[in-house]
Amino acid sequence: MEHSSINSLTSPSRNTALFERAKKLIPGGVNSPVRAFKAVGGTPRFIQRAQGAYFWDADGKRYIDYIGSWGPMILGHGHPAVVEAVQAAVLEGFSYGAPTEREVELAEEIVKLVPSLEMVRLVSSGTEATMSVIRLARGATRRSKIIKFEGCYHGHSDALLVKAGSGLATFGSPTSAGVPPEVVQHTLVLEYNHIVQLEEAFSLHGKDIACLMIEPIAGNMNFVRASVPFIKRCRELCTEYGALLVFDEVMTGFRVALGGAQSVYAKSIPGFKPDMTALGKVIGGGMPMAAFGGSRAVMEHLAPIGSVYQAGTLSGNPVATACGLATLREIQKPGFYDALGARTRSLVEGLTQAATKAGVPFCSDSEGGMFGFFLLSQLPQNYPQVMKTDSPAFNRFYHAMLDSGVYYAPALYEAGFVSAAHTADDIETTIAAARDFFSSLASK
Ligand code: KE4
């Protein structure tokens, strides 16, 4: 559905000109598809600079930023301690291709904060982290099959670009051209939060399952929590059949809590730990940095000591590690998550009240600095329920907020993020813009 916001109707926008220029040289004009605004329509905003909770587009329009680079910018943009650390690091050198003390310091911080990890390997993207986890799980268990869930996104490695097959007996089929069917023949795609189907899958294939990979709070379905009983059953079945339980916390790690989503579930499931974890986004503070880790027994299958190969030119990059370390040090300050969680809750509660008052079906949820909302009456539990959302209605809401200077993720299946830099005034401004939109619906 084409949608041009008021701005692009009233004056030629530099965003539009830049988009046309970009499309000549970069497929779709973007370096990652969701940025192209295809899901919501209209012209993507080309961002020129950012500071705190805000960024400014090529026309100089300011937005309150609720995307935070898809999660990394938990401190807000340009935090002085992070800027200082990066400036100091670049003066020492950009990249060496050799080990550095700062990689050890970052590994120490990650292992300290995520008790399920005994060892970590640093990489440059979440895709690399999850792709490497799959290979390591297969190498360590000598099994080929993997389980993922519909609606969960784990990056774009071939084995994970899969949609559900027809029932449990058949394995997945590719969601992308260029992925040969035989590459995804070992990937079983199940329905999120469906315990019976999970149990059936393990009874059919359990002895061949290398790992089960899940987004514990699915930020690629906007915001859908795995139920505690479901996570508990994933843990029990993986243990029973000798499969590795993998938490993809690229988005939730250090975002929903200092110990990630696994620390949230451990409050309801005593002693809960996944076998492996993928991390990203926040641990790089906005620079290319991700990681994966697990027990020493599993991680020591990795080259150069083990037989599972994995490598990366810029893995543990000295500037990215400086950015990540400075970020991890700030989020450990007392009260950081209490304040962030309260601010995020005030946003979603305010949005829900505004919609409900106007009689608009709306529900929301949040954990720490991550939130989601749906133009639905009830929180969805799985992908088919998420996709019942009235997409054109979401797009109208999206553009009304964008025109009001509020920037959410440009797709109804993406989560939102609040940073430590968002003020109570920013939240109130956002809610007021939503209230105006919802009441405009009521007056029609
Ligand atoms: P990257 O390769 O994009 O760094 O990470 C892949 C990835 C892995 N696991 C989870 C849970 C993720 O959310 C992601 C990437 N998230 C998307 C947003 N839904 C990144 C934005 C984009 O694709 O441009």
Side-chain angles (χ1 to χ4, degrees), residues 219-287:
N220 289 285
M221 286 194 262
N222 194 308
F223 189 107
V224 179
R225 292 177 190 270
S227 72
V228 169
F230 183 68
I231 289 293
K232 194 164 181 289
R233 205 70 190 101
C234 286
R235 178 62 282 169
E236 289 165 351
L237 289 164
C238 283
T239 302
E240 182 183 344
Y241 286 90
L244 295 172
L245 175 58
V246 180
F247 262 30
D248 177 353
E249 295 223 46
V250 166
M251 190 184 288
T252 54
F254 307 113
R255 170 53 72 172
V256 300
L258 187 56
Q262 55 196 270
S263 69
V264 175
Y265 283 96
K267 288 178 189 160
S268 310
I269 309 170
F272 173 80
K273 286 180 180 178
D275 297 304
M276 298 184 74
T277 301
L279 294 164
K281 297 180 191 271
V282 170
I283 73 165
M287 297 202 75

Side-chain angles (χ1 to χ4, degrees), residues 31-35 67 69-71 124-130 152-156 213-221 248-252 278 280-281 289-290 413-415 417:
N31 287 306
S32 200
V34 67
R35 303 178 190 172
I67 197 168
S69 178
W70 300 95
S124 299
S125 74
T127 293
E128 253 194 289
T130 55
C152 289
Y153 173 69
H154 304 292
H156 60 90
M213 182 177 284
I214 188 167
E215 284 187 69
I217 297 177
N220 289 285
M221 286 194 262
D248 177 353
E249 295 223 46
V250 166
M251 190 184 288
T252 54
K281 297 180 191 271
M289 169 67 63
Y413 45 79
E414 296 284 358
F417 305 98

Side-chain angles (χ1 to χ4, degrees), residues 352-435:
T352 306
Q353 281 162 15
T356 306
K357 195 167 174 209
V360 175
F362 191 98
C363 58
S364 63
D365 195 358
S366 73
E367 188 73 37
M370 181 172 161
F371 69 90
F373 58 77
F374 301 89
L375 297 180
L376 295 169
S377 308
Q378 281 187 319
L379 281 173
Q381 299 302 309
N382 57 41
Y383 184 70
Q385 290 176 10
V386 170
M387 296 319 281
K388 285 185 178 148
T389 300
D390 176 344
S391 177
F394 174 85
N395 294 348
R396 286 190 291 276
F397 173 62
Y398 182 83
H399 280 281
M401 297 302 276
L402 195 65
D403 290 346
S404 303
V406 175
Y407 192 108
Y408 290 125
L412 67 84
Y413 45 79
E414 296 284 358
F417 305 98
V418 171
S419 80
H422 285 76
T423 65
D425 282 351
D426 295 325
I427 302 300
E428 190 39 50
T429 300
T430 305
I431 294 165
R435 193 179 296 122

Side-chain angles (χ1 to χ4, degrees), residues 53-55 63-69 73 77 407 417-418 422:
Y54 318 114
F55 53 37
Y63 300 87
I64 301 173
D65 172 18
Y66 288 108
I67 197 168
S69 178
M73 309 316 294
H77 297 284
Y407 192 108
F417 305 98
V418 171
H422 285 76

Side-chain angles (χ1 to χ4, degrees), residues 26 40 55 90 117 170 199 213 231 280 287 314 327 337 367 410:
I26 304 168
V40 295
F55 53 37
V90 295
L117 302 182
T170 60
E199 290 172 337
M213 182 177 284
I231 289 293
M287 297 202 75
L314 296 178
T327 300
Y337 284 92
E367 188 73 37

